[in-house]
Structure formats: C-alpha cells, structure tokens
Amino acid sequence: MTTLAIGKKAPTFTAKNANDESVKLADLVGKEGIILYFYPRDMTPGCTTEACDFRDNFQRLKKLGYNVIGVSKDTPKSHTKFKEKEKLNFDLISDESGEICEKYGVWREKVFMGKKGMGIVRSTFILDASLKIQKIYDGVKVKGHVDEIIKDIQELNGK
C-alpha cells in the first residue's frame, strides 16, 4: 500500500463514473484541485447528507479552484440513480473492485450497529492541481465537513 501523507503524490487510478465513462485521475493534473471523498454507500442517510452538502457548496468550491469527486464501491448504475435523485453536480466514481479504496487506505475494519466488518471509512483528501495531497480527513463526521474543507482550502491557498 502507498503511504499517504501531506505533500506526497496521490495514488492514481482509472475507474468508471456514473455515465460508465472511464475517468483517469492522472488526466486531471494541472486543471484544478480535487476534493476526493470516499463514502460507504449511495442513497443512505449520512452519504446523502454529505453528497448534498457538496452539491450545495459546489460553486463555492469551484471558485476556490477545486472540483469534487465522490468514490464508493457502488456500481455506475447505482451512481446514476443517486446523482439523478439528489441532482448531484459532480462526478461519482465506482470502485467495485475496492482497488482505489485499498490504495487510499479507506477500506478498513469498522463497527456498525455493534457488528464488526470491513467497509469504507468516510474519508476526504484535498489534492492540489498537481495531485499532491494537501490535507487528509479520516473518519469524517458529515455535519460541517464541507464548511471545514472550504475554510482549510482558504487557509492552505491564502484565499
């Protein structure tokens, strides 16, 4: 596994989005910063709240020079339904194999409703335009997370 740290290059990947198109992280170099967030499952309460918060703040993030990409193990078809239902204005990436989750260290043992099991630990990575990691949020709490990201981007980039 790649050691993820601030200032290091983010692991690259190629995966399908909600439109079943291939998205290659390396192709996004030099365009804008990326907020890459990992979430457990489409259309669940916490994941919907988080996605809608990114949706509602998308223009603020774009003005700061950042795009948003959500990643889960859901299928492209599930992502399409989620995007349509919640009117999401950013890309969702399907990591059905779990390879991306492994590279980013977010596929871990967790406890849900008293049961231990493997799953995606809600995490966010802020990447600059050269795909270097600027900030890592591990075990994210949904409420206030996007506001925290905006504040941190402003501090990181002196805006």
Side-chain angles (χ1 to χ4, degrees), residues 1 3 10 14 35 50 61 66 74 90 95 107 117 126 130 133 136-137 143-144:
M1 186 183 122
T3 305
T14 302
I35 296 162
E50 184 176 28
L61 292 163
Y66 287 79
D74 294 298
F90 54 88
D95 182 27
W107 184 254
I126 298 177
S130 66
I133 299 170
I136 300 170
Y137 304 86
K143 190 167 175 54

Side-chain angles (χ1 to χ4, degrees), residues 3 5-6 10 13-14 19 35 37 45 58 64 90 92 115 130 135 138 150 156 158:
T3 305
I6 291 169
F13 59 82
T14 302
N19 299 326
I35 296 162
Y37 83 98
F58 187 71
L64 291 169
F90 54 88
L92 297 178
K115 293 183 181 175
S130 66
K135 182 102 176 155
D138 187 49
I150 289 169
L156 283 166

